[in-house]
Amino acid sequence: MKEKYLINAQIIDPKNNIDELGGLIIDSNGLIKAVGKKVSNENLPSGVEKIDLKGKFLIPGLVDMRVFVGEPGYEYKENFRTLSDAALAGGVTSVVSMPNTSPIIDNVSMVDFLKRRGRDKSKINIFPAASLTKNTDGKIMTEFGLLKRKGISAFTDGIKTIQNPQLMSRIMNFASQSGSLIIQHAEDNILSEGGLINDGEISTRLGLQGIPALAEKIIVER
Amino acid sequence: MAIIKKLKAVKINQNHLLGIQDLSFSEVSYILDEARDFIKLNKSSSKKIDLLRGKTQINLFFEPSTRTQSSFELAGKRLGADVMSMNIVNSAIKKGETLIDTAMTLNAMHPDIIVVRHQDSGAPNLLSQKVNCAVINAGDGRREHPTQALLDALTIINRKGKVQGLKIAICGDILHSRVARSNIYLMNMLGAEVNVVAPKTLLPKSIERLGVKAFTDMKKGLDQCDIVMMLRLQNERMRGSFLPSPREYYEYYGLTPDKLVAAKKDALIMHPGPMNRGVEIDTNLADDINRSVIREQVELGVAVRMACLKIFCKKN
């Protein structure tokens, strides 16, 4: 692979406090060799091929923390290939995949499957999340330690909320032992039941049953 | 007397009557002016004219209704239209047909106007996008009931000469009420000051943003009001407990003579019906011919619906 030169890009990198017009050199191993305003048409050798980005944004790959891959079970919605194409088109290079598949990602063998498919079909980094409870039923906690060792980056029931506060508190205690990251969708099912839209002026005007802010707050406060 | 000077050839911009929110002041005035012409006709011995002869009107009521459905049916018939009222109980909807499929089926029969009542907010709007004829909303979920608000306005104008500057209290189950919403929009548009009175559990979120003052104390809400509109407790729409008991509700929110003294001496009592006597209204007050205009509302309802049918049927 030859060295590549990108010039005239609006480089945005919040971590390194960069927001400037400049360029980027990718070395023969595909790694970044230099980045910033010093990489410009004038400072580069003439005769090499340069890609002029004409002021378009050049950013570090984005991370999407909440992605639903249809695989397995809902391939008609999305699979690893289409997910990866869609992500790349939007500048997303890493995703955390939610466990709400069919079957649910709640055991070690499912993780192996995901990692294999992710590796074979996807051009982006897939960080699979596993469920907090078996089958996301909100009853029995999953094997946090074993799953984490297999490479699970986070635990969540995805679109579901653990309604039982006792179980949630035990999950947090147990998962903290292995340093497992927990993500919770905050929605109290009883308060949001029948709701179609945020509770407020618009729900009142449209005559639709609202979901009160309390439904979210109460889970977060808990 | 005309509400505003009779406007010649007022354009109605809407193809459908889906809600008061979609109407302008001049459109409302036009509908009310047209309705006034029908009041007299409805009292005469020969009530039928042939304005809508050859036109087909379908009444599609997904919810039970007595006054609205019969009112629309009579209105259509008096204008000479062929009126068909669908009986939902015996229809294909009970066999699992969707609203859209029902609409498309009826549409294929080339009606000129469909009058629809549905338990879901926004259903008539959806219907109007799928059919080629005019759609009139006869009440959708808790969103709007435009012809009820229009007949209420006509009743007030008939008795008080105007709506502008009046103080109107709407009391009861505001949360579940489409009548309350349509009346809030309409009375505000016509220049009234609107109070809503309800227990906190039956007040929708951010109701003040609709241009009303909200009260939980009935006497404060009724203070110096010209019009007291009572609403029915819509138990069929309530999921779970909103109130301790009908007795407690009547004690604090039922319209009784001792609460009514807060309003003006000549304040009128209105109710869209059906009434729950002894729950939201004292039975003697409901029948008080000096105060209650509840029957007049029903009477003028036919005239208002005739006006709406005439205007929106002719549009298409």
Side-chain angles (χ1 to χ4, degrees):
Chain A
M1 184 174 160
K2 274 198 326 190
E3 275 197 341
K4 268 190 191 164
Y5 307 96
L6 308 177
I7 54 166
N8 281 330
Q10 185 67 37
I11 302 170
I12 298 187
D13 180 1
K15 196 183 168 194
N16 296 309
N17 237 337
I18 299 175
D19 183 357
E20 62 194 24
L21 206 63
L24 178 83
I25 305 174
I26 304 169
D27 71 14
S28 52
N29 296 321
L31 299 173
I32 295 171
K33 190 172 166 188
V35 65
K37 57 186 164 197
K38 281 181 199 151
V39 183
S40 65
N41 200 13
E42 297 83 56
N43 296 343
L44 290 173
S46 55
V48 298
E49 196 194 340
K50 296 162 210 149
I51 301 164
D52 189 345
L53 291 180
K54 296 173 182 162
K56 286 184 177 164
F57 290 114
L58 186 64
I59 55 172
L62 298 173
V63 182
D64 189 334
M65 286 290 292
R66 193 169 187 264
V67 163
F68 294 89
V69 196
E71 221 171 306
Y74 305 102
E75 286 84 355
Y76 59 94
K77 290 184 181 172
E78 179 115 82
N79 61 30
F80 279 107
R81 188 179 53 76
T82 60
L83 166 83
S84 129
D85 289 347
L88 281 180
V92 174
T93 53
S94 302
V95 301
V96 178
S97 63
M98 294 292 109
N100 307 85
T101 45
S102 178
I104 300 283
I105 314 299
D106 61 1
N107 62 69
V108 173
S109 62
M110 287 297 297
V111 181
D112 280 338
F113 167 81
L114 277 190
K115 281 167 77 176
R116 212 165 51 243
R117 292 289 292 171
R119 186 194 61 212
D120 294 349
K121 299 289 170 189
S122 161
K123 299 168 201 141
I124 58 170
N125 304 315
I126 309 267
F127 297 102
S131 65
L132 285 167
T133 59
K134 287 272 174 205
N135 202 31
T136 64
D137 284 339
K139 286 181 182 145
I140 301 162
M141 62 179 92
T142 45
E143 297 159 327
F144 297 112
L146 295 176
L147 285 161
K148 184 157 189 267
R149 216 157 64 191
K150 269 285 175 190
I152 286 293
S153 53
F155 294 85
T156 176
D157 273 1
I159 50 173
K160 287 191 184 170
T161 308
I162 308 279
Q163 299 292 325
N164 180 342
Q166 184 192 50
L167 175 66
M168 193 61 205
S169 125
R170 284 178 184 165
I171 283 176
M172 290 175 93
N173 275 328
F174 194 91
S176 68
Q177 292 174 182
S178 52
S180 301
L181 180 65
I182 281 174
I183 305 171
Q184 169 97 295
H185 168 85
E187 177 180 340
D188 185 284
N189 286 355
I190 292 176
L191 284 171
S192 69
E193 193 191 349
L196 302 160
I197 178 178
N198 281 335
D199 202 17
E201 181 189 348
I202 303 297
S203 67
T204 297
R205 279 189 188 276
L206 294 177
L208 298 175
Q209 189 173 328
I211 302 173
L214 189 62
E216 183 175 345
K217 226 183 270 175
I218 211 162
I219 297 291
V220 175
E221 292 288 329
R222 187 178 77 177
Chain B
M1 86 213 83
I3 307 121
I4 56 171
K5 268 193 184 160
K6 198 149 188 171
L7 299 162
K8 268 185 194 163
V10 178
K11 244 186 92 183
I12 293 262
N13 286 315
Q14 319 296 326
N15 287 325
H16 312 281
L17 178 58
L18 301 173
I20 300 293
Q21 282 182 102
D22 307 327
L23 298 176
S24 67
F25 178 76
S26 59
E27 287 171 330
V28 164
S29 307
Y30 175 49
I31 295 171
L32 292 177
D33 266 355
E34 288 284 329
R36 302 173 72 80
D37 294 344
F38 290 119
I39 299 175
K40 218 181 265 172
L41 177 77
N42 285 337
K43 282 182 180 162
S44 67
S45 56
S46 177
K47 300 180 181 64
K48 189 149 173 153
I49 54 175
D50 60 359
L51 207 60
L52 296 185
R53 189 164 64 192
K55 302 281 184 184
T56 306
Q57 172 193 338
I58 298 180
N59 294 340
L60 195 54
F61 279 61
F62 293 87
E63 269 189 344
S65 163
T66 314
R67 67 213 76 224
T68 307
Q69 187 171 354
S70 49
S71 186
F72 267 112
E73 190 164 338
L74 271 181
K77 283 177 173 164
R78 284 181 185 170
L79 293 173
D82 295 315
V83 185
M84 182 181 84
S85 286
M86 288 277 296
N87 189 346
I88 301 299
V89 182
N90 298 329
S91 78
I93 289 151
K94 286 283 165 198
K95 300 176 191 162
E97 191 174 62
T98 66
L99 174 65
I100 302 297
D101 285 340
T102 307
M104 297 316 289
T105 304
L106 293 175
N107 192 48
M109 300 175 193
H110 301 294
D112 297 282
I113 201 154
I114 294 179
V115 178
V116 63
R117 163 169 292 189
H118 200 280
Q119 62 276 14
D120 292 336
S121 304
N125 301 57
L126 183 65
L127 197 72
S128 72
Q129 292 162 13
K130 305 287 176 188
V131 298
N132 302 323
C133 67
V135 172
I136 291 188
N137 179 5
D140 62 326
R142 38 173 103 168
R143 197 183 71 95
E144 283 239 33
H145 192 351
T147 56
Q148 177 69 43
L150 288 164
L151 74 88
D152 288 341
L154 190 63
T155 308
I156 294 170
I157 292 163
N158 233 18
R159 286 297 186 108
K160 298 279 186 189
K162 59 178 181 156
V163 174
Q164 172 109 39
L166 295 185
K167 204 168 165 185
I168 298 173
I170 306 176
C171 313
D173 186 356
I174 310 286
L175 180 66
H176 298 102
S177 175
R178 52 193 173 219
V179 177
R181 284 170 178 75
S182 286
N183 263 317
I184 288 169
Y185 304 133
L186 185 59
M187 299 308 159
N188 269 334
M189 184 199 284
L190 297 177
E193 188 186 326
V194 182
N195 289 351
V196 295
V197 185
K200 270 192 177 167
T201 47
L202 294 178
L203 273 175
K205 180 100 171 169
S206 309
I207 186 77
E208 299 86 356
R209 297 285 291 273
L210 270 54
V212 299
K213 279 195 203 138
F215 293 86
T216 49
D217 182 321
M218 185 110 172
K219 278 191 177 171
K220 283 184 189 153
L222 292 189
D223 185 44
Q224 292 304 305
C225 278
D226 302 275
I227 307 289
V228 182
M229 280 187 192
M230 299 308 299
L231 300 172
R232 186 174 63 85
L233 268 187
Q234 304 205 38
N235 290 310
E236 75 278 13
R237 288 186 208 285
M238 291 186 191
R239 279 200 261 191
S241 168
F242 285 83
L243 300 165
S245 70
R247 188 170 64 173
E248 168 129 354
Y249 182 77
Y250 183 68
E251 181 66 26
Y252 289 93
Y253 297 98
L255 187 65
T256 49
D258 67 301
K259 294 192 198 94
L260 188 59
V261 290
K264 282 190 185 155
K265 272 190 183 142
D266 59 348
L268 300 176
I269 301 167
M270 303 176 77
H271 195 303
M275 277 184 281
N276 290 320
R277 291 167 185 267
V279 178
E280 70 258 357
I281 189 163
D282 175 77
T283 188
N284 292 328
L285 280 182
D287 298 329
D288 184 346
I289 49 165
N290 296 315
R291 311 295 297 263
S292 167
V293 290
I294 296 168
R295 273 176 208 95
E296 194 171 326
Q297 287 173 273
V298 179
E299 181 192 338
L300 299 191
V302 181
V304 161
R305 279 153 190 145
M306 287 167 86
C308 292
L309 290 173
K310 174 187 166 186
I311 291 165
F312 287 92
C313 208
K314 286 262 161 117
K315 277 281 290 186
N316 294 47

